[in-house]
Amino acid sequence: MPELPEVETLVRELRPYITGRRIDHVILRWPGCVVTPSPRAFVRRMKGRVIQEVSRRGKFLRFVLDQGSWLVHLKMTGRLLLLSAFEPDPYARADFILDDGRILRFQDLRKFGRLYWVADPERIFRQLGPEPLDPQFRPEDLARRLAGRRGRLKALLLDQSVLAGIGNIYADEALWRARLHPMRPAASLNGEEIQRLWEGIREALLAGLRHHGTTIQWYRRLEGGSGEHQRYLKVYGRAGQPCWRCGTPVIRQVLQGRSAYFCPACQR
């Protein structure tokens, strides 16, 4: 599933092309991708709207319109592609025809991605935790969010109500950078470990952003190309390979149904 760096990459690539553009009409090919309002009302409310701003909240893309906001959650296999002309595509779920003739396509192989039109996006966003790259988010804020938590670190990093935007890849990468075991109870961390975790989260996410995201399977950039960060991963997907720090083979362990990759020697 695209995480903060992948979604932010799409936002940055979309901005210069679609800010100020009007959505002439919408071709909704699979109504099941619309969460709210009804599919018919979604098409009606999107038609003629001007895209004033493109931003991100957690793993959501937010398009601020002249009336309301359009939200996109890509989930596992969702993609946004900007096309100069119509192309047949069995996985196209919605096409947004812009006033310059281009098509912003929502493509989704497995139909997990979702679209929303909302008058107030806080209706959706209020459930999300803080943004880990927000300059106002400090180590003491992370300490407060983890205080008294009995859950394991990896599971809590995946909880979008704790921090917004982190998924399986960057949780493993952050914990490796922080030298923390994914199974550690959050409440067991001391102040120095909280500081390392805060730094590890930021470093992992910023590295992903520098390389335009991680393409393991589904994620693609706006014009269809892959991200580059998969070439720089420290532990994720590297089971059996030597740890970049100490040389011990990386191991994979299942935690609450999700894979966790870590070094058993230098992550404690």
Side-chain angles (χ1 to χ4, degrees), residues 29-95:
R29 303 180 186 283
W30 184 59
C33 64
V34 176
V35 176
T36 186
S38 69
R40 182 174 295 179
F42 176 84
V43 171
R44 185 173 65 249
R45 292 181 185 181
M46 292 290 292
K47 183 177 180 179
R49 299 281 58 83
V50 175
I51 300 170
Q52 297 181 330
E53 180 186 333
V54 188
S55 60
R56 178 194 57 77
R57 180 70 171 99
K59 300 177 186 178
F60 286 88
L61 291 98
R62 178 191 178 188
F63 301 81
V64 179
L65 309 174
D66 57 344
Q67 291 182 23
S69 289
W70 168 33
L71 310 180
V72 180
H73 199 309
L74 298 173
K75 297 287 187 176
M76 184 180 292
T77 61
R79 296 175 182 169
L80 286 176
L81 302 172
L82 190 61
L83 308 177
S84 58
F86 175 77
E87 299 174 7
D89 183 349
Y91 305 119
R93 307 306 175 194
D95 282 341

Side-chain angles (χ1 to χ4, degrees), residues 97-110:
I97 316 303
L98 305 178
D99 59 355
D100 63 357
R102 285 182 292 191
I103 301 164
L104 183 57
R105 171 166 290 173
F106 175 59
Q107 180 195 76
D108 193 4
L109 174 66
R110 299 186 66 181

Side-chain angles (χ1 to χ4, degrees), residues 7-49:
V7 178
E8 182 66 26
T9 295
L10 283 172
V11 165
R12 295 178 183 186
E13 292 181 342
L14 277 166
R15 261 192 203 121
Y17 291 107
I18 69 170
T19 302
R21 299 260 66 95
R22 186 181 68 248
I23 300 170
D24 276 352
H25 63 283
V26 178
I27 303 172
L28 187 59
R29 303 180 186 283
W30 184 59
C33 64
V34 176
V35 176
T36 186
S38 69
R40 182 174 295 179
F42 176 84
V43 171
R44 185 173 65 249
R45 292 181 185 181
M46 292 290 292
K47 183 177 180 179
R49 299 281 58 83

Side-chain angles (χ1 to χ4, degrees), residues 151-215:
R152 309 295 184 179
L153 279 177
K154 173 71 181 281
L156 287 174
L157 290 182
L158 296 179
D159 185 340
Q160 298 302 292
S161 68
V162 175
L163 287 178
I166 301 174
N168 217 28
I169 295 173
Y170 295 98
D172 284 351
E173 294 294 290
L175 290 167
W176 181 86
R177 290 170 184 268
R179 298 174 180 253
L180 294 172
H181 197 288
M183 311 302 181
R184 277 279 298 274
S188 71
L189 270 59
N190 60 35
E192 188 267 338
E193 289 171 326
I194 290 284
Q195 176 72 31
R196 290 198 334 242
L197 179 58
W198 178 83
E199 292 173 356
I201 290 169
R202 290 179 60 83
E203 289 170 3
L205 294 173
L206 289 170
L209 266 174
R210 282 196 302 273
H211 301 129
H212 310 294
T214 304
T215 298

